[in-house]
Amino acid sequence: MDKRPIALAEIYHLLNPGPVVLVSVEHGGRDNLFPVSWVMPACDDPPVAALLVAREHFSFPLLEASGELGLNLPTLPILDAVYGCGKTSGREVPDKFARFGLHRERATTITAPLVAECVAGIECRVDRIHDVEGSALILARAVAARAAPDCFRDGEWRFEAGLVLCHHLNGARFCLSERAVTARRP
Amino acid sequence: MDKRPIALAEIYHLLNPGPVVLVSVEHGGRDNLFPVSWVMPACDDPPVAALLVAREHFSFPLLEASGELGLNLPTLPILDAVYGCGKTSGREVPDKFARFGLHRERATTITAPLVAECVAGIECRVDRIHDVEGSALILARAVAARAAPDCFRDGEWRFEAGLVLCHHLNGARFCLSERAVTARRP
């Protein structure tokens, strides 16, 4: 998908509406993908994202050792692949890109690949990790990002061209954002 | 709005899809409301929420001193009120409930009121506060919650009765979740 670089100041708007994110990691020649819905912006300037990752997941050591991760924004056409990435482990599936029909896209500042079929990708470096009841609360500094201009332009998600964002509900259920409204100023 | 208690194990499903949340706080007889979109679950058992609050906001000292907050889940009919609560400060508006046509609902375990017009309310106690670039990253333990059964039942958001969740995009823009889909198992 054709994507263009976006400004650092615009990155947090990609995560504001709380969509599910497909995380990409790589270390020592091995990469992996897993969906995360517990992710949010934690700062706009500098751009920082916060996300929860279970330490026992196959991807956690890759993420921890490389200190890098990609946050890829999927939309409805690849929702089954996103869900599949979460229902399988890198321990059993050596190549989740191949298994779920996704393609690697080279990042500019990190080794982990981005996901070509996603409408936006954020390149991050791990800043700090806090513990929350045994899970890793990761604070990751965004260092670069790109987005498909028909979906995200001038710092705004655009729904005119058919964009459908996916938000995780429970199990295999997701709710969908298909339109935007503007609240009235007080 | 008629709401019923929900199980602690179901609480994180309220926050999973990343909706904007109306936070209620109270200390020393003074309460306030402010919207937060940087909020997510941080643990399911025990239920913990993570959210960002700027330390210079009027509400932060109330939250810090009381160690409590309410997370109220608004829907489209009160979106203008939610936005209004964010565009005004407790320093200038002594009663945001009155200013924006909302009503207090007594919580069961915390002093802060919940918002009667919201479809769900989570009662939380502050567990820890980390710093992220000067803002407060609050980890809050959920101790009780209630939800309107036509909107949230058996741990699941339900869209059949017209539920519309609101997710913040940028400025006054929000995207809307109005339906759910089920992803295909891999």
Side-chain angles (χ1 to χ4, degrees):
Chain A
M1 190 175 301
D2 175 49
K3 278 167 263 185
R4 301 189 197 156
I6 65 169
L8 287 179
E10 297 177 349
I11 290 177
Y12 78 100
H13 287 133
L14 288 171
L15 299 176
N16 255 1
V20 64
V21 164
L22 198 49
V23 179
S24 50
V25 293
E26 194 274 350
H27 183 65
R30 175 69 158 95
D31 61 23
N32 201 35
L33 291 171
F34 60 103
V36 167
S37 57
W38 296 5
V39 54
M40 65 179 178
C43 188
D44 56 350
D45 180 20
V48 177
L51 67 156
L52 271 294
V53 178
R55 291 180 193 274
E56 62 270 27
H57 277 189
F58 175 80
S59 289
F60 184 72
L62 304 183
L63 187 161
E64 197 179 28
S66 67
E68 297 177 350
L69 65 157
L71 299 176
N72 303 277
L73 282 292
T75 52
L76 185 57
I78 60 164
L79 183 60
D80 290 342
V82 172
Y83 182 65
C85 285
K87 292 301 283 182
T88 53
S89 169
R91 292 191 181 90
E92 292 118 41
V93 178
D95 182 347
K96 288 203 195 170
F97 283 92
R99 170 75 177 78
F100 295 107
L102 302 173
H103 295 84
R104 291 171 180 82
E105 187 178 276
R106 189 181 294 272
T108 56
T109 66
I110 62 173
T111 308
L114 298 177
V115 179
E117 288 77 8
C118 284
V119 295
I122 308 171
E123 305 177 20
C124 299
R125 294 188 195 281
V126 175
D127 194 13
R128 258 176 309 160
I129 300 181
H130 293 295
D131 184 84
V132 180
E133 306 289 342
S135 281
L137 171 58
I138 298 168
L139 292 167
R141 176 88 172 255
V143 288
R146 66 186 75 161
D150 57 337
C151 296
F152 186 89
R153 201 167 59 249
D154 301 328
E156 297 192 350
W157 281 113
R158 312 274 178 159
F159 294 87
E160 301 83 40
L163 171 69
V164 183
L165 292 176
C166 306
H167 311 263
H168 189 231
L169 291 169
N170 58 294
R173 294 176 72 236
F174 294 78
C175 61
L176 307 175
S177 286
E178 300 167 275
R179 66 182 177 112
V181 294
T182 301
R184 198 167 45 185
R185 300 202 158 261
Chain B
M1 191 174 302
D2 175 48
K3 278 167 261 185
R4 298 184 201 161
I6 66 169
L8 288 178
E10 297 176 350
I11 291 177
Y12 77 100
H13 288 134
L14 287 170
L15 299 176
N16 255 2
V20 63
V21 163
L22 199 48
V23 179
S24 51
V25 294
E26 194 273 351
H27 183 66
R30 174 67 157 95
D31 61 23
N32 200 36
L33 290 172
F34 61 103
V36 167
S37 57
W38 297 4
V39 54
M40 65 178 177
C43 188
D44 55 351
D45 180 21
V48 177
L51 67 156
L52 271 293
V53 178
R55 292 180 193 273
E56 62 270 27
H57 278 189
F58 175 81
S59 289
F60 184 73
L62 304 183
L63 187 161
E64 196 178 29
S66 66
E68 297 177 348
L69 65 156
L71 300 176
N72 303 278
L73 282 292
T75 52
L76 185 57
I78 60 164
L79 183 61
D80 290 342
V82 172
Y83 182 65
C85 285
K87 292 301 285 183
T88 53
S89 167
R91 292 189 181 92
E92 292 117 42
V93 178
D95 182 347
K96 288 204 196 170
F97 283 92
R99 171 74 176 80
F100 295 106
L102 302 173
H103 295 84
R104 292 171 180 81
E105 186 179 276
R106 190 182 294 271
T108 56
T109 66
I110 62 173
T111 308
L114 298 176
V115 179
E117 288 77 8
C118 284
V119 294
I122 308 172
E123 305 177 20
C124 299
R125 293 187 196 283
V126 175
D127 194 12
R128 258 177 306 160
I129 299 181
H130 294 294
D131 184 85
V132 179
E133 306 288 342
S135 280
L137 170 59
I138 297 168
L139 293 167
R141 176 90 172 250
V143 288
R146 67 186 73 162
D150 57 336
C151 296
F152 187 87
R153 200 167 61 248
D154 302 328
E156 297 191 351
W157 281 113
R158 313 273 178 158
F159 294 87
E160 301 83 40
L163 171 69
V164 183
L165 292 177
C166 306
H167 311 262
H168 189 230
L169 292 169
N170 59 295
R173 294 176 72 235
F174 294 79
C175 60
L176 307 175
S177 286
E178 299 169 273
R179 65 180 176 116
V181 294
T182 301
R184 198 166 46 185
R185 298 201 159 264

